[in-house]
Structure formats: C-alpha cells, structure tokens
Amino acid sequence: MAYQAEYIWIDGVEPTPTLRSKTKIIENDSKALPLWGFDGSSTNQATGEASDCILNPVFSCKDPIRGGKNVLVMCEVLIASTGKPHPTNMRAACALATKKYSAQKMIYGMEQEYTMMRLNGRPFGFPELSGEPSPQGPYYCGVGSGRVMGREIVEIHTEACLDAGLHISGTNAEVMPGQWEFQIGPVDALRVSDELHVARWLLHRIAEDYDIVISLDAKPQKGDWNGAGCHTNFSTKAMRSNYKAIEEACKALGARINEHVSNYGHDIESRLTGKHETAPYNKFTFGVSNRGASVRIPWQVARDKKGYAEDRRPNANMDPYVVTRLILETVCGKPKTANSKQKKSAKKKIKNKPTKTNK
Ligand code: ADP
Ligand code: MN
Ligand code: MN
Ligand code: MN
C-alpha cells in the first residue's frame, strides 16, 4: 500500500521564518525518499519567473498523527538551477561546522518555550476578551484549574514526540499562564535541530485541532510577563569530564557577545532586559545556579566538577541550526591563548631533542 510522507521545510518569511509542509504519496516499492520541489515565489524564497526550489530530505521519522507507515520528513531547501543550498538554508552551514568539530563531540539539550494564543490574538491563559489574570507566581509547574491552561495539547504533543521517536526529555508549565516548555536532547547539533523543527511542526499541527495558535514570539505579552526563550544546554567531551573546560567555554562565549545575540532570534532586546529571569542582551555574565546570568552552570555541574553549561539567551523563535553552529564555532574554534601556544612550542623543543641523539 502507498503511504503519505509529509515534507516539512523552513520558508523565507522575515524577520522570523515559519514552517511549511506538503504531502507526497510514496508508492510502496520505492525505498529512498525522493527529492521534491515547491513554489518558492509563495514562500519568499524565489521570484515568479524562476519559482522552483528543491526539497532535499535530511531527516525522517514516523508520523504519529497519521500513524501506520506514514512519515514526517524534515527537508533542507536547495536552489533548483545549481543544486546548492538556498540562502535561507541554515542547515548546510551547521552540517559543515558539525563535521569540522566532530572530534569535540558537542551535544545539546534545547528547552523550547512557547505561548498558546487564542485566534483573537490574546494569550490562552488570559480572559478571552479583556483584562489580565492575577500576576505571575502560581503558574510555573502548577496544577489545577485557573493555574494551568492547555495541558491537553501538551499531553498529546508529548505522546506524539515519543511515538515519532524524537529525543524529547521533558515538559513543564511556564511562568506566564498558557506558556509551556518541552526539551529535546541531548544529541548532536544536526539531530537536535532537525528534531526540534519536527517537534515544533507537531505542536502547530496538534494545536490546530483546538483553535489555538502556537506563538514562538520572544515577548508575546508586553508588561510584567515573562518572555519565551529556548535555553540551549551544551557540552563537549572535555566539558563532560573537566570543569575547567566549562569555564573556558563560558569565557569564549563572553568574547563574542554580539555575534551570538544578534543571531539568537528576532526581538531579543525585548526579552533580555535584565528582568524576568534574564540578563541584559548586551552584557555577558556566567555563574553557578544564576538565572539572571547569560550562561548558567547548573549546581549539580559545579558539585560534580563536570557536565554542561546553559546558554540562556536564545529566543523561543531562534533557528536551532544557527544557534548550535555558533556555539560550535565559538566554543570549539576558539583561538589558542598565548599561554597554551607557549606550552605547545616548549613541547616541540623537547620532542625535537631525542631525534638528534637518535642515530
Ligand atoms: P532547567 O529548566 O532547570 O534549565 P531543564 O531540565 O529544562 O533545565 O533542561 C535541561 C536540559 O539539559 C535538558 O534538555 C537536557 O537534555 C540537557 N542536558 C543534560 N545533560 C546535558 C549535557 N551533558 N550536555 C548538553 N545538554 C545536557
Ligand atoms: Mn527548563
Ligand atoms: Mn523554561
Ligand atoms: Mn533552562
């Protein structure tokens, strides 16, 4: 029997791209998922005269909504005339960096926060037409009517991620009512990013059935309400066994503040204000257990003297291909310090000595 493959890709909408998808019927006897195409002039990725863009499947999993043999297929977008990555294709650069720094074995756990909105644009946790709920406090990880909103969607989404075989590692209700989080990881840059996009697609798709819109806006509600982020936990092989490597990674991030925050999602200035459990976007700090720092070292990590660090700056609306690549380049590609260069040349001298006596 033929089955359905839902081809998912990232469009060219600005300032924050959105997900698109369409369904391909696959004949039973065909094994590999074929290249496909779409009309790029309808997604801000091409002009009408040269509208075709290519969909190249890069990751697939079971489709938990349709069930059976049906699959979800994450794709990257290629230019039809050249077969090269489209300018909106952020995965290609991430794949290159992953290859370049593969020896460091970087893995990531991403905490995707999001806000459920009504069709009229008001947060689902707010009264339907006007006014605000009581202030933040009881909602984070709460239980009971009036304290949490939208749990049914969260439960169905979590089951769907599990059925699809994604590395979902947890969920929780967030500080603003109707705001939630799920985590994917820890796995490598491409895997966590492919899976996060598929998990986002599933969330949007499931929420359709409830007339709920999933917002990844960094600051969906102005005022005294938390924004939505995507804390990115990361570790190299060295960090997983050595505390010094964790501190060095934090310092490397501190040396490239702007490269990171300017690529961590639209409207980051509205979210990283220094209030609501954030650090100001243009200042860099790191510290143990500090939720007001740019990068937090969890207390268990400080106790065990090994583990990972949490970059708290990425927005909910960031592109994981971009964020994981930047962390890879900054942490793994950091220039050697003068001190380590000296040590290296000293080693060389010693190494050269015995060769002289070696006849
Ligand atoms: P919190 O809300 O306290 O910041 P969470 O439990 O929501 O923490 O998220 C912690 C994340 O850290 C999870 O996604 C988990 O997969 C990830 N993580 C755990 N260990 C590592 C590690 N060694 N490297 C990278 N990420 C890790
Ligand atoms: Mn969390
Ligand atoms: Mn959170
Ligand atoms: Mn966190």
Side-chain angles (χ1 to χ4, degrees), residues 111 113 174 181:
E111 306 171 47
E113 293 179 345
E174 269 305 334
E181 168 180 317

Side-chain angles (χ1 to χ4, degrees), residues 66-132:
R66 290 177 172 143
K69 286 182 64 182
N70 304 302
V71 290
L72 301 177
V73 186
M74 191 65 212
C75 299
E76 64 173 355
V77 177
L78 305 176
I79 300 167
S81 56
T82 62
K84 297 233 164 77
H86 189 274
T88 59
N89 176 346
M90 297 297 144
R91 191 183 192 276
C94 183
L96 286 177
T98 302
K99 206 166 168 200
K100 183 167 177 191
Y101 300 114
S102 63
Q104 278 93 331
K105 302 205 176 331
M106 182 81 91
I107 54 171
Y108 302 84
M110 306 195 102
E111 306 171 47
Q112 176 72 65
E113 293 179 345
Y114 59 93
T115 313
M116 298 181 186
M117 310 293 281
R118 297 178 192 276
L119 293 180
N120 67 6
R122 285 178 57 79
F124 189 48
F126 280 36
E128 196 170 342
L129 296 176
S130 64
E132 294 200 346

